[in-house]
Amino acid sequence: MKRQLIACLVLLLSVSFISGCWDQKSIQDLNYLSAFGIDYQNNQYVLYAQSTDLSSVAKQETPPGSSEPPVIISIGRGETLQSAMDNMQKNAQIPLFYGFVSTLIYHERMLQKDVIATFDILNRYGLLRYTKWVFGTRESIPEVLSNHSVTGFSPLTSLLHQPQDVYKQRSFIEPIRYFTFISRFWEPSNTVIIPNISIYKHSWKENNDFISRLTVDGIHAVYRGKWNGFFPNNDLLGLRWMNPHTEFAGLIVKENNKPKATLRIQNVKVMVKPIKTGENPRFRVDIHMNGFVREIMAKVSADYIEKDAEAQIEEQIRGTFLKGVAAGTDLYGFEEALYKQDVNAWKQFAKNHDNKIRKDALAEIKIHVRLSDSGKMKLNWYHYPDHLLP
């Protein structure tokens, strides 16, 4: 009995030594990184990391007179990306935590050099998640990572960290997550489209002074592991009509170059079918979409709205396609459609590694716009009731 009592006391004493987490860090003792930027300058990898004060993340309003939440940019340089990360950590005053990185920015120089060189560390390190957003940029990465959020909001409430919410209100260039980027990158038939994020300083004012805001002003194309060019927004007007994820795309209906109505295009359904194979395949595109009337500025018929919208959309699709072909880029993913629908025909096309989609590949386009709604007002309301006059 005495021996059992001693054993129990020893057991209880040993449990007291192992209780608790001695190596646990309090949340205020860690530096939480929220975004990475990768550049290549002077034969060195340059890694930028954005970190945010956690006290600014939970609240939605800033008290009057208080300053904007600070954003800290850490910088590391090295011959490899890992050495750049080590050099960034070298001067850290508290441990860095990588589990909350939600955005990755590639500078155009990095995309042009060799983006594959960044994959190892980004995929091998367990805390770096596959769900982060991916952008390209031609701007200074530290300036992009600086605070451009709306006054009174956390720096994490911005286009950089929540692009999907903005895309739902204006569907032009779809944001892309890292897992989608990686999966499409390794498919030899795919052209990966990366949104280009930049700084715009002439559309928002605060106290009558212009303030900077982030904007997506184009895309970078990556094909078979190589950078395949930059395209500004003006060259991409047709891209939204070829994307089934388009939720809210605006279009102005005109007559004699004068606006008559504005539409919201949604529910886009795209069908791409190869009609000729070989070294010069050709495709037929069939697109169905719904139009929501947002504004009427003159008397106009529903039939005219549909016909003019269809004509404009076809023109924009062909224009963007030709811009891509001129740069040797398959912006609409015709090669991917060929691969998925006839892999043997794709092999015949891809056998010559220099083969590109040609300007006559877009053989036929059929656009079908159906007016589905006119909101709270009738479509033909635009006229003054002259019959009520005496």
Side-chain angles (χ1 to χ4, degrees), residues 182-219:
I182 287 294
S183 65
R184 292 184 59 80
F185 181 90
W186 293 114
E187 291 290 342
S189 64
N190 289 351
T191 298
V192 188
I193 290 177
I194 304 174
N196 183 80
I197 196 164
S198 62
I199 302 170
Y200 192 73
K201 300 180 180 179
H202 302 289
S203 64
W204 286 67
K205 279 191 172 183
E206 183 178 305
N207 296 327
N208 209 33
D209 294 324
F210 282 110
I211 55 178
S212 61
R213 287 291 178 261
L214 295 177
T215 185
V216 174
D217 64 350
I219 61 106

Side-chain angles (χ1 to χ4, degrees), residues 17 46 89 158-159 176 213 217 229 237 264 299 307 325 345 355 362 384:
F17 281 110
V46 186
Q89 293 173 326
S158 68
L159 179 67
I176 185 171
R213 287 291 178 261
D217 64 350
L237 295 177
R264 168 187 173 178
K299 191 171 183 180
K307 296 301 182 185
V325 169
N355 225 1
L362 186 51
Y384 191 81

Side-chain angles (χ1 to χ4, degrees), residues 120-360:
D120 189 85
I121 188 171
L122 293 175
N123 295 329
R124 192 183 299 275
Y125 193 50
L127 282 177
L128 293 175
R129 306 175 189 275
Y130 283 90
T131 54
K132 52 184 170 286
W133 301 103
V134 180
F135 293 96
T137 191
R138 310 173 100 185
E139 306 264 1
S140 165
I141 290 181
E143 291 185 14
V144 174
L145 292 178
S146 297
N147 188 3
H148 301 283
S149 62
V150 178
T151 302
F153 286 80
S154 160
L156 299 184
T157 308
S158 68
L159 179 67
L160 190 64
H161 296 280
Q162 299 179 13
Q164 189 66 24
D165 294 337
V166 178
Y167 179 75
K168 289 179 180 179
Q169 286 197 324
R170 181 181 180 270
S171 302
F172 195 81
I173 296 174
E174 185 180 11
I176 185 171
R177 290 193 184 269
Y178 188 70
F179 64 83
T180 304
F181 169 63
I182 287 294
S183 65
R184 292 184 59 80
F185 181 90
W186 293 114
E187 291 290 342
S189 64
N190 289 351
T191 298
V192 188
I193 290 177
I194 304 174
N196 183 80
I197 196 164
S198 62
I199 302 170
Y200 192 73
K201 300 180 180 179
H202 302 289
S203 64
W204 286 67
K205 279 191 172 183
E206 183 178 305
N207 296 327
N208 209 33
D209 294 324
F210 282 110
I211 55 178
S212 61
R213 287 291 178 261
L214 295 177
T215 185
V216 174
D217 64 350
I219 61 106
H220 296 270
V222 178
Y223 177 66
R224 296 183 183 174
K226 303 295 183 182
W227 181 77
N228 208 211
F230 169 80
F231 297 86
N233 281 352
N234 289 338
D235 293 345
L236 303 172
L237 295 177
L239 194 63
R240 51 192 169 162
W241 315 125
M242 294 290 290
N243 187 350
H245 298 144
T246 293
E247 296 187 38
F248 197 133
L251 188 69
I252 301 177
V253 175
K254 298 181 179 182
E255 185 177 16
N256 297 325
N257 208 30
K258 292 184 179 180
K260 292 291 186 179
T262 59
L263 296 181
R264 168 187 173 178
I265 302 298
Q266 56 190 2
N267 300 330
V268 178
K269 298 179 181 179
V270 183
M271 290 168 284
V272 179
K273 185 175 180 59
I275 57 176
K276 177 187 174 184
T277 58
E279 290 194 357
N280 184 22
R282 305 186 73 190
F283 300 86
R284 181 174 63 242
V285 176
D286 198 358
I287 306 175
H288 293 258
M289 58 188 72
N290 290 339
F292 176 90
V293 177
R294 302 174 64 201
E295 187 179 20
I296 294 291
M297 290 159 286
K299 191 171 183 180
V300 60
S301 67
D303 183 66
Y304 181 84
I305 291 176
E306 292 178 345
K307 296 301 182 185
D308 185 73
E310 291 171 355
Q312 284 194 61
I313 290 170
E314 179 176 351
E315 181 182 359
Q316 291 178 7
I317 289 174
R318 290 191 181 276
T320 297
F321 172 73
L322 293 176
K323 290 285 187 180
V325 169
T329 304
D330 178 19
L331 290 174
Y332 292 152
F334 285 160
E335 185 179 346
E336 180 186 2
L338 181 65
Y339 174 82
K340 289 182 176 180
Q341 298 182 43
D342 192 341
V343 67
N344 291 325
W346 173 80
K347 289 179 179 179
Q348 184 181 3
F349 168 81
K351 188 182 298 182
N352 180 359
H353 294 179
D354 295 328
N355 225 1
K356 302 286 185 181
I357 295 294
R358 303 177 188 177
K359 64 180 181 180
D360 60 346

Side-chain angles (χ1 to χ4, degrees), residues 55-106:
S55 63
S56 69
V57 174
K59 58 186 179 182
Q60 295 295 314
E61 297 182 358
T62 302
S66 62
S67 59
E68 291 186 351
V71 172
I72 307 300
I73 310 296
S74 308
I75 305 173
R77 294 179 172 85
E79 294 182 1
T80 69
L81 196 55
Q82 179 62 66
S83 63
M85 182 178 289
D86 293 340
N87 289 330
M88 182 180 66
Q89 293 173 326
K90 183 169 59 176
N91 298 319
Q93 306 301 300
I94 57 177
L96 304 179
F97 184 73
Y98 297 88
F100 292 160
V101 173
S102 61
T103 298
L104 173 65
I105 303 175
Y106 286 111

Side-chain angles (χ1 to χ4, degrees), residues 4-120:
Q4 293 177 347
L5 181 61
I6 293 174
C8 289
L9 291 174
V10 171
L11 180 62
L12 290 174
L13 185 62
S14 63
V15 169
S16 67
F17 281 110
I18 64 174
S19 63
C21 300
W22 288 2
D23 62 343
Q24 182 178 1
K25 289 285 184 182
S26 300
I27 60 173
Q28 67 268 22
D29 295 332
L30 293 173
N31 187 359
Y32 293 91
L33 305 182
S34 53
F36 272 164
I38 304 176
D39 197 354
Y40 192 81
Q41 294 178 295
N42 301 321
N43 297 321
Q44 283 189 319
Y45 292 92
V46 186
L47 179 65
Y48 301 91
Q50 179 195 70
S51 55
T52 308
D53 182 8
L54 279 184
S55 63
S56 69
V57 174
K59 58 186 179 182
Q60 295 295 314
E61 297 182 358
T62 302
S66 62
S67 59
E68 291 186 351
V71 172
I72 307 300
I73 310 296
S74 308
I75 305 173
R77 294 179 172 85
E79 294 182 1
T80 69
L81 196 55
Q82 179 62 66
S83 63
M85 182 178 289
D86 293 340
N87 289 330
M88 182 180 66
Q89 293 173 326
K90 183 169 59 176
N91 298 319
Q93 306 301 300
I94 57 177
L96 304 179
F97 184 73
Y98 297 88
F100 292 160
V101 173
S102 61
T103 298
L104 173 65
I105 303 175
Y106 286 111
H107 198 279
E108 187 178 69
R109 287 184 291 264
M110 188 69 247
L111 293 173
Q112 290 172 340
K113 183 191 179 297
D114 185 12
V115 69
I116 297 180
T118 67
F119 285 177
D120 189 85

